[in-house]
Amino acid sequence: MERQARIAAKVEHAREVEGILQWLGWSVAVLGVIGVAVFAVLWALGDLNVEQALSLILGTCLATVLSGATAYGSGVNVGLGAERLEIAAGAAPSHQPEGTTQT
């Protein structure tokens, strides 16, 4: 029974981590959109020239897409791993010493 409890605890922890990583992925996307908006406003106000503005906006977009997708994808992967572990644990026979019965 101890083995099943350890596996259940690991699956639950993995599901918590999945949620955190997916939340982080969406947070990065929101911060990236805010950053692009700020740079666009600075460009419109004349504080940035065209080259600076485009460089900052493109760099922010690329960093946002890569970071957000990585965090979100990692969360999905952790969740899938938790599902596989739970399925494998349910299908695996319990290891008991011979001559004992399970209660």
Side-chain angles (χ1 to χ4, degrees):
M1 187 62 177
E2 179 184 327
R3 178 177 172 262
Q4 292 290 14
R6 280 194 332 259
I7 290 172
K10 288 180 181 184
V11 167
E12 182 60 32
H13 179 68
R15 289 197 172 122
E16 290 172 11
V17 170
E18 173 189 18
I20 291 168
L21 286 170
Q22 288 180 341
W23 177 84
L24 181 62
W26 283 110
S27 298
V28 168
V30 169
L31 289 175
V33 169
I34 291 169
V36 167
V38 167
F39 294 138
V41 167
L42 289 174
W43 182 16
L45 293 174
D47 290 343
L48 299 174
N49 64 33
V50 174
E51 185 179 314
Q52 291 172 326
L54 290 178
S55 174
L56 289 170
I57 289 171
L58 287 175
T60 301
C61 287
L62 290 174
T64 298
V65 168
L66 292 174
S67 299
T70 299
Y72 189 86
S74 295
V76 170
N77 192 33
V78 167
L80 289 172
E83 290 295 323
R84 285 192 294 264
L85 177 61
E86 191 170 50
I87 290 169
S94 69
H95 297 291
Q96 295 179 298
E98 288 187 29
T100 62
T101 60
Q102 188 175 7
T103 56

